[in-house]
Amino acid sequence: MTSETATIAPARKGFRIDFHVWGPVIALLALIALGAFLNPNFLSYGNVTNVLARSAFIGIIAVGMTFVITSGGLDLSVGSMAAFIAGVMIMVMNALVPSMGVGWGVIFVGMAAALVVGVAAGLVNGLLITQARIEAFIVTLGTMGIFRSLITWLADGGTLSLDFAVREVYRPVYYGGILGVAWPIIVFALVAIIGEVIMRKTPFGRHCAAIGSNEQVARYSAVHVERVRLAAYVLLGVLVGIATIMYVPRLGSASSSTGVLWELEAIAAVIIGGTVLKGGFGRVWGTVVGVLILSLIGNILNLANLVSPYLNGAIQGVIIILAVVLQRQKKTER
Amino acid sequence: MSDSPAILEARDVSRSFGPVEVLHGVEIALRAGEVHALIGENGAGKSTVMKILSGYLEPTTGELLLDGKPVRFSSSEEAEDKGVILIHQEFNLAEQLTVEENIFLGRELKRGIFLDKKRMQTEASRLLSALETRVSPNARVSDISVSDKQMVEIAKALSRNARVLIMDEPTAVLTNREAEVLFRQIERLKASGTAILYTSHKLDEVARIADRVTVFRDGARVAAVKAGEMNEDQMAQAMVGRELSNLFPAKSPMADRKTVLAVRDFDVENIVADASFDLRRGEILGFAGLVGAGRTELMEGLIGVRAARGAVEIDGKKVAISNVKDARRLGLVYLTEDRKGRGLVLTQGMRENLTLLALDRFGRYALDAKAEDAALTKAISEFDVRAPTRDVRVGNLSGGNQQKLLLAKTMLAEPDIVIIDEPTRGIDIGTKQQIYEFIHKLAASGKSVIVISSEMAEIIGLSHRVVVMRSGRITGILQGDDINEDQIVRYAMGLEGRAAA
């Protein structure tokens, strides 16, 4: 079939800025500039650490959510799942204090428990979606209610508190760090970097995008569609577990109000970052930018007396809708 | 046939996309009661001119005349209001709505502020029975057959009082029998004074139903004749611009008689039963039969995307294949007939599509982007893929180039046995020739090829042996001089049919 050798040039790399790619970054830079302009303390070490450490929980979860959404799925249960994992983790640690004593041993068992419950929860969601073939929205809407109600039941309607002595040992996992960088920030950064590499450089990332674009094509191209889908939900479950491990030492407690609306914040961050809600295209670094945008809005409103912090949600909502509108404009151009 | 005045006419119409002119001053006139066939290779400008005539695109220069008066359609809705309707190849029907709701979509009949359901029902029934279609107005569109959908599209057009009906390859998705029904309806519409513009890659059809033929090549009109002034060969020649002497390369002798694939008593779901056949090294084995005979399902069962039972041996060893990956590992690949739905991810680029099937060749844990790029460069030259840029979305490639890319993707898996389902569906004749040449070379190099095709000429021109299927069973295996249209049709229609072993 060789005729004349067709030479096809790569697309011109001009100086034109692709807003679809750089839009979120520009928005983030604008927010940073605005924050610095409104309050000199905005760029202080304390504030930056605070903002980043608080974003870490949602951020770690949102990285996992990027894979689920890219493969054409959705997970509404992550907020409740985090609360449930936190509750189980606290109960396990409290139960082990009499036999194991207070120390890192107990905490490591607690962390292991968090990861195990995370994997299990991811498996439940994933298996119901891939094996029972129920829509992801329905499955995770159901498990969202189940996890939320389980934590309320475990806490007997109140709050589960971690043993005070254990809490003292565990505290540095949230408040400590190395070289002045807090642990949650380090973990978030690692998760994000690994996630970005997995998405762009591995067969798993490529398979997620292919499944999200067209499941049939993936199936006919020797992709194990169910296995990849399941893996995405389990990965998300593990990341929810990691996020909870970083979260528990912050307050040392879990209740029915833990992690409320985290799922929506995580989904919003993913979408703002340029991942397509219908699946087929995902960008982990975009998700990180999305998370930072959402938390900076809250931070700036708190620091500056320009707009009431109570309007935080409204401004976030506007940003989310704007992000999707920008995505769509790009699509019609193509 | 007298030259009645044209209802809709394009005069010296050109169209540019950006700096590129794709249509160069073409003329076409559609007259009442006439079927006008528009033919040309993919990319010749047929779709562009159809879109201009029906208001989806505006001409860059030149003008449209409706009943002799200049007219500008600012949208397809405006064209529809004036009775000019385009029926897309991929239908524009709301799958979840009923037939009746679709027919009146956007122009619902009302009584006061409420829908006049009764009147719409009667009207829909009237239209459908006029089209000899037995589909119920209350049937959900997702539940009806492809040919019925076509009829619903036509009914929809009629309910809008179509004076000009533009049909984009209406028979591409129809079986021969369904096409017959369509041709009867076209005759009927013609008799009632509708002007019809019709495109098709099937020249025998064109020769049969068209009153007038216009041929496009590279965005220009190269011929406009009355029916009968051109035979099929001349049409093909005008489309391609050169003589197509040997569409099919001469069959090469089979390398040896060694059986590479043996299938015995193979059942697929409730569709295929007791299929048994052998495939030899260097052989091109054709699978003929009517659409719906179970050929595609048989192959999908073989590669493990459908549940199947039966014995399969590859190179004399019993194998179990439960998914595409297993099949690939055994050197067996399947190239789907459904290019857009199952073959390629239209929203992604050529590189991602090319390497998806054989992704493990580019790294188990980390993908080697350089190697992928090199593979794309090689595929582009080897398969003569013509794309505007390397990172174009695959959905923006023409059908022929998509098919070449799909071939390249499949061959990247380095198979020994290649199953190609409808290798040239919806592809222009020049590309067809390239693909035949490729299949021929593949077999000559010692690979084994199964070709499923509904085009008789293709089956006869390519195959060493032909398996004929009917209603899920193999009714005959033909070789040598028995491979001719008459024999194949006899087995396909069940006139002759032993349960072949």
Side-chain angles (χ1 to χ4, degrees):
Chain A
M1 208 184 257
T2 7
S3 63
E4 79 279 29
T5 312
T7 42
I8 294 173
R12 272 186 306 134
K13 296 256 192 300
F15 287 102
R16 200 170 50 93
I17 294 173
D18 188 347
F19 281 97
H20 189 53
V21 175
W22 297 108
V25 178
I26 293 168
L28 180 62
L29 292 177
L31 273 177
I32 292 173
L34 179 70
F37 170 73
L38 289 175
N39 191 321
N41 279 331
F42 178 75
L43 288 177
S44 69
Y45 170 79
N47 189 52
V48 170
T49 297
N50 182 31
V51 169
L52 288 177
R54 278 161 174 261
S55 335
F57 317 127
I58 300 285
I60 293 168
I61 294 171
V63 169
M65 189 69 83
T66 310
F67 285 91
V68 167
I69 290 180
T70 301
S71 66
L74 192 69
D75 192 339
L76 295 173
S77 72
V78 289
S80 309
M81 194 193 288
F84 175 63
I85 294 174
V88 171
M89 197 178 164
I90 289 170
M91 289 176 76
V92 166
M93 287 191 285
N94 285 350
L96 287 176
V97 167
S99 55
M100 290 180 68
V102 173
W104 281 101
V106 168
I107 291 169
F108 283 131
V109 175
M111 288 179 173
L115 294 179
V116 169
V117 178
V119 168
L123 273 175
V124 168
N125 281 336
L127 287 173
L128 283 170
I129 290 160
T130 58
Q131 301 304 313
R133 298 185 181 283
I134 308 170
E135 277 197 54
F137 186 93
I138 309 290
V139 167
T140 59
L141 189 64
T143 52
M144 173 171 98
I146 293 169
F147 291 138
R148 180 64 63 199
S149 141
L150 283 177
I151 178 64
T152 313
W153 175 65
L154 288 178
D156 203 13
T159 302
L160 284 167
S161 295
L162 183 59
D163 182 281
F164 274 95
V166 178
R167 202 182 289 188
E168 278 312 307
V169 183
Y170 199 173
R171 241 181 91 86
V173 170
Y174 181 78
Y175 292 96
I178 37 173
L179 299 174
V181 186
W183 281 115
I185 301 175
I186 295 171
V187 173
F188 178 25
L190 283 177
V191 165
I193 291 168
I194 295 170
E196 174 72 15
V197 170
I198 291 178
M199 183 65 91
R200 292 172 77 101
K201 303 267 183 201
T202 67
F204 175 70
R206 188 71 67 80
H207 287 169
C208 282
I211 293 169
S213 301
N214 188 330
E215 192 185 323
Q216 288 289 351
V217 174
R219 200 180 298 280
Y220 278 74
S221 302
V223 175
H224 289 296
V225 173
E226 273 74 29
R227 215 181 286 172
V228 172
R229 281 235 163 99
L230 182 62
Y233 284 99
V234 172
L235 173 68
L236 177 53
V238 169
L239 289 174
V240 173
I242 293 176
T244 314
I245 289 172
M246 308 313 296
Y247 174 80
V248 167
R250 180 166 167 238
L251 295 177
S253 65
S255 72
S256 59
S257 62
T258 301
V260 168
L261 292 184
W262 281 11
E263 61 281 342
L264 295 187
E265 267 194 65
I267 293 169
V270 171
I271 302 309
I272 291 173
T275 296
V276 179
L277 184 59
K278 280 189 309 185
F281 176 77
R283 200 158 57 189
V284 172
W285 68 259
T287 298
V288 174
V289 172
V291 170
L292 295 180
I293 288 177
L294 287 180
S295 43
L296 278 186
I297 294 170
N299 185 244
I300 289 173
L301 294 185
N302 279 326
L303 290 182
N305 288 322
L306 223 55
V307 186
S308 162
Y310 294 133
L311 284 173
N312 186 4
I315 293 178
Q316 287 187 351
V318 170
I319 298 272
I320 295 164
I321 294 167
L322 264 181
V324 176
V325 169
L326 288 176
Q327 271 188 27
R328 176 155 322 146
Q329 274 180 349
K330 185 69 201 173
K331 208 165 157 193
T332 48
E333 276 171 31
R334 288 200 178 179
Chain B
M1 185 189 347
S2 64
D3 278 7
S4 55
I7 301 185
L8 183 64
E9 193 177 350
R11 270 204 197 146
D12 196 20
V13 162
S14 300
R15 169 76 202 194
S16 304
F17 291 103
V20 186
E21 190 176 271
V22 296
L23 208 58
H24 320 295
V26 300
E27 320 251 322
I28 193 164
L30 310 178
R31 298 180 169 82
E34 229 180 70
V35 176
H36 196 135
L38 176 60
I39 59 176
E41 290 192 284
N42 290 341
K46 289 173 301 182
S47 315
T48 311
V49 87
M50 284 190 288
K51 284 181 183 159
I52 288 173
L53 288 171
S54 54
Y56 286 84
L57 285 177
E58 284 199 58
T60 311
T61 61
E63 60 178 358
L64 294 184
L65 302 178
L66 186 67
D67 297 317
K69 286 188 273 298
V71 65
R72 285 174 67 94
F73 299 135
S74 60
S75 68
S76 58
E77 287 79 12
E78 196 182 326
E80 287 199 5
D81 284 342
K82 298 197 167 129
V84 181
I85 294 176
L86 170 68
I87 297 183
H88 297 264
Q89 193 180 0
E90 279 100 23
F91 306 127
N92 261 337
L93 295 173
E95 294 271 319
Q96 296 304 319
L97 298 187
T98 66
V99 169
E100 170 241 303
E101 285 164 342
N102 265 288
I103 290 176
F104 290 98
L105 192 61
R107 298 167 21 109
E108 290 81 1
L109 304 179
K110 277 175 251 171
R111 200 170 43 197
I113 57 165
F114 297 106
L115 292 175
D116 191 348
K117 193 91 185 158
K118 211 172 181 181
R119 202 147 60 88
M120 287 194 283
Q121 289 268 349
T122 3
E123 182 65 13
S125 301
R126 191 186 62 76
L127 288 166
L128 290 169
S129 63
L131 291 170
E132 288 179 44
T133 307
R134 251 167 283 154
V135 61
S136 151
N138 294 318
R140 208 177 278 274
V141 164
S142 57
D143 297 337
I144 67 177
S145 72
V146 173
S147 57
D148 282 340
K149 285 183 193 173
Q150 186 107 48
M151 291 306 162
V152 172
E153 280 280 13
I154 296 174
K156 193 173 155 184
L158 293 181
S159 80
R160 283 155 168 73
N161 297 317
R163 299 174 59 212
V164 178
L165 197 56
I166 301 174
M167 303 170 106
D168 187 4
E169 286 193 51
T171 55
V173 291
L174 300 184
T175 63
N176 287 340
R177 199 173 331 151
E178 290 166 343
E180 288 302 323
V181 177
L182 178 71
F183 296 152
R184 272 211 304 281
Q185 300 320 319
I186 289 179
E187 284 299 320
R188 194 185 287 265
L189 290 171
K190 197 171 119 175
S192 69
T194 310
I196 294 168
L197 179 67
Y198 179 98
T199 66
S200 176
H201 282 301
K202 299 177 184 167
L203 299 182
D204 51 337
E205 252 173 51
V206 169
R208 201 180 123 190
I209 68 162
D211 300 308
R212 213 177 272 273
V213 179
T214 293
V215 186
F216 274 17
R217 186 169 73 226
D218 298 330
R221 192 178 75 169
V222 293
V225 297
K226 285 189 180 171
E229 291 175 8
M230 231 185 198
N231 63 26
E232 289 172 44
D233 284 339
Q234 289 164 324
M235 286 183 209
Q237 220 166 303
M239 280 165 58
V240 183
R242 59 189 147 91
E243 288 219 33
L244 284 169
S245 45
N246 290 315
L247 193 52
F248 298 99
K251 291 177 193 177
S252 58
M254 270 183 268
D256 54 44
R257 298 242 147 221
K258 194 169 163 283
T259 298
V260 291
L261 173 72
V263 176
R264 293 286 174 273
D265 305 323
F266 205 71
D267 295 354
V268 180
E269 291 166 0
N270 293 321
I271 303 166
V272 178
D274 299 330
S276 299
F277 66 92
D278 289 332
L279 176 68
R280 297 168 193 159
R281 177 131 52 120
E283 181 179 40
I284 300 176
L285 183 63
F287 266 73
L290 301 176
V291 171
R295 296 168 298 167
T296 295
E297 289 79 2
L298 169 59
M299 300 307 161
E300 290 185 340
L302 266 180
I303 58 153
V305 294
R306 283 176 190 268
R309 271 198 331 268
V312 180
E313 282 181 12
I314 289 181
D315 290 329
K317 279 191 282 287
K318 248 195 157 68
V319 296
I321 298 172
S322 60
N323 55 52
V324 180
K325 200 156 208 160
D326 291 349
R328 211 215 119 187
R329 213 174 289 131
L330 294 161
L332 173 68
V333 296
Y334 168 74
L335 208 145
T336 172
E337 61 176 331
D338 187 358
R339 201 156 54 220
K340 294 178 178 174
R342 292 171 176 171
L344 296 170
V345 183
L346 300 182
T347 53
Q348 293 186 343
M350 294 199 287
R351 193 180 63 150
E352 290 82 353
N353 272 287
L354 177 69
T355 57
L356 188 58
L357 176 62
L359 202 56
D360 48 6
R361 282 186 57 193
F362 297 91
R364 191 169 158 72
Y365 300 109
L367 296 173
D368 182 349
K370 271 207 191 102
E372 283 190 87
D373 263 333
L376 178 58
T377 306
K378 188 157 168 276
I380 286 172
S381 74
E382 199 171 322
F383 290 86
D384 188 27
V385 181
R386 296 177 198 176
T389 66
R390 276 179 78 99
D391 35 20
V392 64
R393 286 185 188 207
V394 166
N396 293 339
L397 293 178
S398 73
N401 284 310
Q402 286 178 353
Q403 186 73 356
K404 288 175 182 174
L405 185 68
L406 186 55
L407 264 174
K409 167 186 169 182
T410 313
M411 295 318 296
L412 204 56
E414 298 182 328
D416 299 314
I417 303 169
V418 188
I419 305 170
I420 309 183
D421 201 347
E422 301 290 358
T424 62
R425 175 177 286 173
I427 286 181
D428 63 72
I429 200 148
T431 308
K432 268 186 183 176
Q433 201 174 17
Q434 286 181 311
I435 287 178
Y436 296 148
E437 184 62 35
F438 173 76
I439 292 174
H440 169 75
K441 278 192 189 150
L442 200 60
S445 73
K447 314 274 188 206
S448 307
V449 187
I450 291 177
V451 172
I452 300 180
S453 176
S454 299
E455 279 190 45
M456 202 63 89
E458 208 163 275
I459 289 281
I460 296 170
L462 283 174
S463 315
H464 291 106
R465 291 188 301 148
V466 176
V467 177
V468 188
M469 290 185 71
R470 172 184 161 74
S471 329
R473 285 173 187 275
I474 291 178
T475 50
I477 297 179
L478 310 173
Q479 49 189 327
D481 291 340
D482 282 345
I483 302 180
N484 57 54
E485 188 154 358
D486 187 49
Q487 281 294 321
I488 294 175
V489 168
R490 292 180 73 84
Y491 282 103
M493 304 297 285
L495 301 176
E496 203 132 347
R498 57 206 163 89

